[in-house]
Amino acid sequence: HTQHEVSPRPAGPPPLSLTSVSLHTHNMKSLHVLAVLAAVLGVAMATAPLLRLDSDTAIPNEYIVVLHKNLTDYAVGKHMNHVKTLLTADTKIMFEHNFRWFKAYSIRTNQQMIRHLAEQDEVRYIEANQVVKAYQAQCQDQQGATWGLVRTVERDRLLNGEYTHEENDGEGVEVYVIDTGIYTQHNDFGGRAKWGVDTVDDPSPGTDENGHGTHVAGTVVGNVWGLAKKATTVAVKVLSRSGSGSTAGVIQGVVWTGEDHEAGGSNKKSVGNMSLGGSTSTAMNEAVAAVVEAGVVMVVAAGNSFGDACNFSPASEPTAITVGCSNNEDQFCSFSNSGSCMDMIAPGEDITSAWIGGQFADNTISGTSMSSPHIAGIVAKEMSRRDSIPTPAEMKQWLQDTSTKNKIPELPENTVNYLSYLGCGDGPNM
């Protein structure tokens, strides 16, 4: 909360509120007399600053009175004795805080007495007492969640249907789904999906006519089917109704993503997901690398040819995060590409998510196309939990460092055994 200080009151007579309040005790009457006398004599009372009085977490009628550092023990004792003479049935010294040069006390009292204390020479400042809480994540449990979501929050495979996540996961992060478009009206997006660009159809239908892109977006940000439930998603349509497109069209979608990210300013947190691929393309890889250099974390599918991911694009681009597939038995998917170009493994077989054809439509499909958005969702979650903006390289390293290791048996040669993981409350804000 923004910290505010109440400026010292100008010299002169006290405000009417100080002297016109009905006083019920002898001690309060003495404060009244002192204030009136000061006004009559024209004494200019120095007033200590009053801090945090308008804080949302301020505790009513409780204050911390901090004294000057150089006060002697005698001066502190004299001040405390004066304060104790002013106490009533409704006022109380809660603590006396004295350690080396830090000299203070906490008091429960009214504003009139606080104004009086602020005018005492010994007082350096007075601060409102405030509520303090443990830095603990507000976790929410989604029961009956799809197995892929559940597996990302479990170190050991239980698949109990419970997806535990932080309440604001994904907030402030935009995810570009470079795919067949998104059916933005689907109920699972809750208004957090928007249309971006279409590089394959002219005129554009302005929606997903295939279902693949909607499914991917649902896994990343969906209310029911998704991981980062507060993130927004942007449809970057580079594939047609049939699910195909061209290298040139994909590159243009990638370039548009980079431009839109930069238009959002230096504080924008962006993730790109590419659940698509084709033969190796130096141009496509370089376009992806340029967008990564701009700060977009690009997550891409390894491919479904049970081959070497290094023979496909954008899977072979080193600056991207390339994702292979696991199933609900923690086995490597029979179709998944692998090899040294693969960075992570995530659920990708029999994944249920949003679909086209109706606002509540869903579908269950398989592929590394389903694995990639699990990682994109985890990245969006982690980025939203951080105060700073991590670089794409830092996010890749973080994913691998925090992954669940060596859970997948019988992996192809030269393939990392890093299974996706991010639980609720894992890791402080950075």
Side-chain angles (χ1 to χ4, degrees):
H1 300 288
T2 305
Q3 298 179 356
H4 298 284
E5 296 186 5
V6 177
S7 301
R9 194 178 68 243
L16 289 176
S17 60
L18 182 63
T19 58
S20 61
V21 176
S22 177
L23 303 176
H24 301 287
T25 68
H26 172 74
N27 290 330
M28 289 296 104
K29 287 180 180 178
S30 67
L31 295 182
H32 179 92
V33 171
L34 285 172
V36 172
L37 182 61
V40 170
L41 297 177
V43 176
M45 294 185 177
T47 305
L50 306 178
L51 310 182
R52 324 289 191 265
L53 299 189
D54 59 350
S55 169
D56 292 340
T57 60
I59 300 173
N61 300 318
E62 292 188 7
Y63 306 88
I64 301 166
V65 182
V66 180
L67 307 180
H68 288 289
K69 297 179 181 180
N70 60 355
L71 287 182
T72 64
D73 291 343
Y74 174 80
V76 172
K78 183 177 179 181
H79 174 84
M80 295 307 300
N81 288 335
H82 171 65
V83 173
K84 290 171 184 177
T85 66
L86 304 175
L87 297 178
T88 69
D90 297 327
T91 59
K92 175 185 178 182
I93 295 175
M94 299 184 293
F95 300 101
E96 294 187 34
H97 317 285
N98 294 305
F99 182 75
R100 295 195 173 191
W101 51 263
F102 184 74
K103 309 170 193 298
Y105 56 95
S106 300
I107 188 169
R108 184 180 299 118
T109 187
N110 52 55
Q111 290 189 12
Q112 184 176 343
M113 184 172 176
I114 286 300
R115 291 191 187 99
H116 171 70
L117 293 177
E119 293 171 341
Q120 305 307 300
D121 290 340
E122 301 87 3
V123 176
R124 184 152 54 101
Y125 63 87
I126 299 176
E127 180 177 310
N129 196 16
Q130 300 176 83
V131 175
V132 177
K133 296 181 179 180
Y135 283 130
Q136 183 174 354
Q138 299 299 308
C139 296
Q140 295 187 343
D141 295 331
Q142 178 185 344
Q143 302 297 327
T146 183
W147 80 266
L149 303 189
V150 177
R151 191 64 187 91
T152 67
V153 296
E154 294 179 339
R155 285 297 187 188
D156 297 311
R157 184 176 60 87
L158 300 175
L159 301 186
N160 58 7
E162 185 175 292
Y163 172 58
T164 304
H165 60 95
E166 293 189 17
E167 180 180 4
N168 295 318
D169 272 344
E171 189 170 51
V173 181
E174 192 146 79
V175 181
Y176 297 88
V177 174
I178 303 169
D179 211 289
T180 63
I182 300 174
Y183 174 38
T184 59
Q185 290 78 28
H186 196 288
N187 184 72
D188 204 36
F189 299 126
R192 292 176 293 109
K194 61 183 179 181
W195 195 258
V197 70
D198 187 337
T199 68
V200 66
D201 289 328
D202 186 16
S204 173
T207 190
D208 179 9
E209 298 181 308
N210 176 280
H212 189 273
T214 299
H215 192 283
V216 167
T219 298
V220 184
V221 308
N223 290 326
V224 174
W225 308 116
L227 288 101
K229 299 180 186 296
K230 292 292 181 68
T232 57
T233 185
V234 181
V236 182
K237 186 176 182 294
V238 299
L239 304 178
S240 67
R241 176 196 293 261
S242 66
S244 63
S246 69
T247 301
V250 172
I251 289 175
Q252 184 57 25
V254 171
V255 168
W256 184 92
T257 296
E259 291 173 343
D260 194 69
H261 165 75
E262 290 194 326
S266 60
N267 293 323
K268 186 173 183 180
K269 297 178 179 181
S270 299
V271 181
N273 186 88
M274 300 179 72
S275 289
L276 52 79
S279 300
T280 304
S281 166
T282 302
M284 183 188 296
N285 285 5
E286 288 191 352
V288 170
V291 173
V292 169
E293 187 178 272
V296 182
V297 181
M298 294 295 284
V299 185
V300 306
N304 301 336
S305 302
F306 194 62
D308 189 343
C310 294
N311 295 329
F312 299 85
S313 287
S316 55
E317 170 47 45
T319 62
I321 299 169
T322 301
V323 188
C325 174
S326 64
N327 64 20
N328 61 6
E329 297 291 335
D330 276 0
Q331 296 172 336
F332 198 62
C333 297
S334 61
F335 50 78
S336 179
N337 285 346
S338 57
S340 61
C341 288
M342 199 188 79
D343 302 300
M344 291 292 299
I345 302 172
E349 191 169 294
D350 296 329
I351 303 299
T352 304
S353 186
W355 200 251
I356 61 173
Q359 289 186 324
F360 297 91
D362 62 70
N363 197 10
T364 301
I365 55 178
S366 301
T368 57
S369 284
M370 286 61 257
S371 302
S372 182
H374 280 84
I375 295 297
I378 288 175
V379 170
K381 288 169 60 174
E382 175 63 15
M383 291 182 77
S384 72
R385 296 180 188 184
R386 297 193 183 198
D387 296 327
S388 60
I389 302 177
T391 66
E394 288 171 343
M395 286 308 304
K396 179 188 284 192
Q397 189 63 56
W398 171 85
L399 279 167
Q400 294 184 332
D401 289 345
T402 59
S403 65
T404 302
K405 311 293 194 300
N406 302 318
K407 288 292 184 180
I408 311 298
E410 300 179 11
L411 281 172
E413 193 175 355
N414 298 322
T415 301
V416 296
N417 204 331
Y418 298 152
L419 186 61
S420 57
Y421 176 81
L422 177 58
C424 182
D426 288 336
N429 290 337
M430 300 175 66

